[in-house]
């Protein structure tokens, strides 16, 4: 309930308390008057020698006393009501304070969301300007550069399962990459086209896991969960104890992913501050890439990834799956603006479906 509604209730209770107190005071005045009448009638009865007059005065005293008792009883009831209304008003005052604090907190959260949205919009506009510069450069580039760009285009679909290489790295043990991988697996297992997806899950992933996964598994999708910063991501070393990990540049990561006859169609960097890295992956080889526009909460990252792969496994386009992941974060009250989808200039993410029903073309 809002503070304004509590405030209206408080005003009503205060008015009811004041009205009850006023009525009780009026009745106390009447009670006092009747008790005075009682005393006068009793005194008059004691002074008279006439039996008839004494009886009449005693009757007057009895009626006055009865009226005084009634006024007193009614006044007591009104005083109790006034006290109850006062107590309820005090309780409402506490609720008003709490509601005002909650509204202030909500306003602050809204301000932060708007500020984050502004930063995201600025970043998006900067990426669009950069993409426009790339498009102009592409139009002016040499025939050899155009040929290289043609090699990056999506190959014709083949009838095979979607292969997803999942790499999780948390050398210091501060990220729940295992939970993220488990939730993605469960989401895929519940999906409409679950038989059309094959997962290769590498927990505590090293650079050797990356190279081995690319060479032997030949994934259509590479999903990295861990720490990132601008154009750096962190893998684990082959150690049992907690450690700082192995820092990898996004260019070396791109080189590893592209070292195959069939490079991945989509690369997901579920790590903080990786939109620049996603842009770089698309510039190097990937038709589609996803990164985070800031520091994303671990829970939001897990929620987004789960929604993304659930939608992909249900046969939706990459763009729709991306929007589904963001919607899941928004419904959970998280920072849904952070995940960003980047596409090559010749690729429409709304038309790219990585999973299709049995008997239909599967992904490239």
């Amino acid at each position: 309930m809002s503070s304004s509604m509590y405030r209206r209730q408080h005003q009503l209770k205060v008015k009811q308390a004041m009205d009850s107190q006023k009525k009780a005071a009026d009745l106390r005045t009447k009670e006092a008057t009747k008790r005075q009448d009682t005393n006068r009638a009793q005194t008059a009865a004691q002074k008279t020698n006439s039996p008839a007059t004494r009886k009449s005065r005693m009757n007057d005293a009895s009626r006055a006393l009865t009226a005084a008792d009634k006024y007193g009883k009614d006044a007591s009831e009104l005083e109790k009501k006034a006290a109850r209304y006062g107590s309820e008003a005090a309780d409402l005052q506490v609720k008003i304070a709490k509601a005002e604090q909650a509204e202030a907190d909500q306003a602050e959260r809204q301000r932060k969301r708007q500020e984050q949205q502004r930063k995201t919009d600025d970043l998006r506009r900067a990426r669009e300007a950069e993409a426009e510069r790339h498009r102009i450069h592409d139009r002016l580039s040499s025939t050899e550069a155009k040929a290289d760009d043609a090699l990056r285009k999506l190959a014709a679909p083949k009838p095979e399962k979607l292969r997803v290489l999942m790499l999780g790295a948390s050398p210091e043990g501060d990220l729940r990459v295992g939970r993220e991988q488990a939730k993605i697996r469960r989401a895929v297992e519940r999906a409409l086209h679950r038989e059309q997806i094959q997962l290769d899950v590498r927990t505590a992933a090293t650079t050797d896991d990356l190279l081995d996964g690319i060479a032997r598994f030949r994934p259509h999708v590479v999903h990295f969960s861990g720490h990132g910063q601008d154009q750096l991501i962190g893998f684990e070393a082959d150690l049992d104890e907690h450690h700082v990990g192995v820092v990898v540049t996004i260019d070396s990561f791109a080189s590893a992913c592209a070292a195959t006859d069939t490079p991945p169609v989509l690369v997901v960097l579920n790590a903080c501050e990786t939109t620049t890295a996603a842009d770089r992956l698309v510039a190097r080889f990937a038709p589609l890439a996803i990164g985070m526009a800031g520091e994303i909460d671990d829970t939001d990252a897990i929620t987004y990834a789960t929604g993304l792969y659930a939608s992909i496994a249900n046969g939706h386009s990459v763009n729709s799956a991306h929007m589904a992941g963001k919607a899941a974060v928004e419904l959970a009250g998280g920072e849904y603006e952070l995940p960003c989808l980047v596409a090559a200039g010749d690729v429409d993410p709304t038309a790219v479906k990585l999973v299709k029903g049995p008997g239909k073309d599967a992904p490239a």
Side-chain angles (χ1 to χ4, degrees), residues 33 37 65 80 97 122 141 165 173-174 187 191 196 255 268-269 329 341:
T33 300
D37 292 344
L65 180 60
K80 290 178 182 179
D122 290 346
S141 62
L165 175 62
D174 57 334
Q196 302 302 311
S255 296
V268 180
L269 298 177
V329 177
L341 172 62

Side-chain angles (χ1 to χ4, degrees), residues 125-258:
R125 285 190 288 269
R127 287 202 308 272
E128 290 173 349
E130 181 66 21
E132 180 61 21
R133 286 193 291 271
H134 279 299
R135 283 193 288 270
I136 294 173
H137 179 270
D138 289 343
R139 287 195 295 269
L140 299 175
S141 62
S142 66
T143 303
E144 181 180 356
K146 292 179 180 178
D148 289 339
D149 182 67
L151 291 174
R152 282 198 307 107
K153 294 182 180 179
L154 288 172
K158 300 177 183 178
E160 58 183 343
K161 293 183 178 181
L162 176 73
R163 296 186 295 275
V164 181
L165 175 62
M166 299 179 61
L167 304 168
S170 180
E172 297 181 7
D174 57 334
L175 299 178
R176 297 177 295 168
V177 294
R179 177 169 176 78
E180 177 182 337
Q181 292 171 341
K183 291 195 70 173
I184 291 173
R185 184 185 293 278
R186 287 197 295 270
V188 169
E189 289 173 349
R190 292 193 299 266
L192 183 63
H193 303 309
R194 55 186 174 273
E195 300 299 329
Q196 302 302 311
I197 298 181
Q198 185 177 357
L199 302 178
D200 185 348
V201 179
R202 309 286 181 107
T203 305
T206 65
T207 54
D208 287 340
D209 286 311
L210 169 63
L211 292 170
D212 179 71
I214 293 294
R216 292 199 301 121
F217 191 56
R218 298 186 180 184
H220 305 103
V221 178
V222 173
H223 179 96
F224 174 81
S225 303
H227 286 296
Q229 183 179 7
D230 196 11
Q231 296 197 46
L232 303 173
I233 57 176
F235 280 82
E236 298 199 17
D238 191 11
L239 299 172
D240 293 333
E241 66 273 8
H242 291 310
H243 56 283
V244 295
V246 177
V247 177
V248 172
T249 67
I250 201 62
D251 279 332
S252 60
F253 176 78
S255 296
C257 290

Side-chain angles (χ1 to χ4, degrees), residues 73-141:
K73 180 180 179 181
D74 292 343
S76 295
E77 291 297 323
L78 286 170
E79 288 165 349
K80 290 178 182 179
K81 285 185 177 181
R84 185 173 71 252
Y85 291 144
S87 177
E88 292 173 351
D91 292 340
L92 286 167
Q93 191 65 50
V94 173
K95 292 180 179 180
I96 289 172
K98 291 182 178 179
E100 288 176 340
Q101 183 60 49
E103 289 166 357
D105 293 343
Q106 176 64 25
E108 178 62 14
R109 288 193 295 271
Q110 179 65 21
R111 185 194 68 78
K112 289 182 178 179
R113 282 196 294 269
Q114 290 174 347
E115 178 65 16
Q116 182 61 49
Q117 184 63 49
R118 183 189 65 78
K119 292 180 180 178
T120 302
D121 291 342
D122 290 346
L123 184 60
R124 176 180 54 78
R125 285 190 288 269
R127 287 202 308 272
E128 290 173 349
E130 181 66 21
E132 180 61 21
R133 286 193 291 271
H134 279 299
R135 283 193 288 270
I136 294 173
H137 179 270
D138 289 343
R139 287 195 295 269
L140 299 175
S141 62

Side-chain angles (χ1 to χ4, degrees), residues 44-62:
Q46 292 172 356
K47 290 181 178 180
T48 185
N49 293 324
S50 169
T53 300
R54 182 181 299 111
K55 182 177 180 181
S56 175
R57 296 292 179 269
M58 290 303 295
N59 288 338
D60 292 342
S62 177

